[in-house]
Amino acid sequence: MQVDNKVETFSLEENIWRGLTITDSAAHQIRRLVENDPAMLGLRLSVKQSGCAGFGYVVEKTTQSEDSDRVYEHDGARLYVPLKAMPFIDGTELDYVQEGLNHVFKFNNPKAQHACGCGESFGL
């Protein structure tokens, strides 16, 4: 009897990503930020190990595109996502909502299995 010890490998470049979506509200806010800073191309969304649930979102203004970025656009607003972040946030919807007196970007991530109580981190 022959045992097949073939190991499957995962390639970030060869994977087919569903992508990210940007709501109308989030697109409006991104365009507003770009209007106030002409050097800005859009927002960069990535993840880092953080918080009690494991991972946290990182949203930053970006003035340049990296070779490994995936770029998602809606109504003139651009969202730059590093390829290495895609396994954690593929399929995420970026929204911009009012919570009490604050306006914040909200992440509707189908991969997130749980979130911490304060909403600052998520786990897969």
Side-chain angles (χ1 to χ4, degrees), residues 7-75:
V7 175
E8 293 289 326
T9 58
F10 177 78
S11 169
L12 287 172
E13 288 83 14
E14 294 175 11
N15 198 34
I16 298 173
W17 303 109
R18 292 186 308 170
L20 279 77
T21 55
I22 306 168
T23 66
D24 291 340
S25 179
H28 176 77
Q29 178 61 14
I30 293 169
R31 284 193 318 273
R32 209 170 117 225
L33 292 169
V34 171
E35 287 171 8
N36 291 331
D37 184 354
M40 186 177 152
L41 297 176
L43 291 180
R44 178 174 309 282
L45 173 61
S46 58
V47 295
K48 66 177 181 175
Q49 285 192 311
S50 172
C52 51
F55 298 97
Y57 299 102
V58 179
V59 179
E60 304 171 299
K61 293 180 179 182
T62 188
T63 57
Q64 64 184 25
S65 178
E66 304 294 329
D67 290 339
S68 68
D69 282 345
R70 297 296 179 258
V71 182
Y72 299 96
E73 185 172 347
H74 174 68
D75 201 21

Side-chain angles (χ1 to χ4, degrees), residues 82-101:
L83 184 59
K84 65 183 180 181
M86 289 303 293
F88 304 99
I89 59 176
D90 188 36
T92 296
E93 175 190 70
L94 178 66
D95 198 4
Y96 188 72
V97 298
Q98 181 173 353
E99 291 183 346
L101 298 175

